Amino acid sequence: MRRANVVSGMLLSLFGLVILFGVIPWQIDSGPADMMSPRLVPQIMMTIVVALAVLLTVLNRRSRHEGGDATPSPFSWDEMRALLKIGGVFAVSLLLFEYASPLLAGLALVFGALFALGERRPVVLVLMPAGFLLALWILFYKLLGTAIM
């Protein structure tokens, strides 16, 4: 049950942040300068939702028995490290996609994920990103006749 609470808290936090920083600014106009913004109440509500989701995650991540002994965490530190590594790989890939090119972003995503999760065979580290990006190039440019960007 604790694991489900942690996962649902993390997903709800992510959902709330997407709504807070993505959907609300894109869908609700800011309004005139001399009155309260129509975005204010939705932003307040989503901030509360995100805060409660983070609280759910933190409380279930560090839950204790009635006797005061700490129960083991529902996620191991190795799982949390892997999550942070993959998150970092995705962040770097998004930055490369935005400021460099989709090709570099794709290479960084596939190669970085393989390397971060422990793959060390050079043939796999080279051929998997190359094959994957070649297949995407054939799909988008040759079969669909459109560019990725």
Side-chain angles (χ1 to χ4, degrees), residues 24-80:
I24 291 173
W26 290 335
Q27 297 296 322
I28 302 173
D29 294 329
S30 59
D34 58 343
M35 66 179 274
M36 184 176 69
S37 174
R39 295 179 183 175
L40 181 63
V41 174
Q43 287 174 334
I44 291 171
M45 292 298 106
M46 287 315 298
T47 302
I48 292 170
V49 167
V50 169
L52 290 174
V54 168
L55 184 66
L56 176 70
T57 303
V58 168
L59 290 180
N60 281 285
R61 179 98 169 96
R62 297 182 171 216
S63 181
R64 299 192 179 274
H65 284 298
E66 293 82 26
D69 297 330
T71 60
S73 173
F75 297 107
S76 70
W77 286 110
D78 290 334
E79 291 172 328
M80 295 304 286

Side-chain angles (χ1 to χ4, degrees), residues 105-138:
L107 283 171
L109 181 64
V110 179
F111 180 84
L114 287 171
F115 193 78
L117 294 178
E119 182 61 56
R120 297 296 186 261
R121 294 176 289 178
V123 173
V124 173
L125 286 172
V126 170
L127 290 181
M128 190 176 288
F132 180 67
L133 292 173
L134 178 65
L136 284 177
W137 179 78
I138 290 170

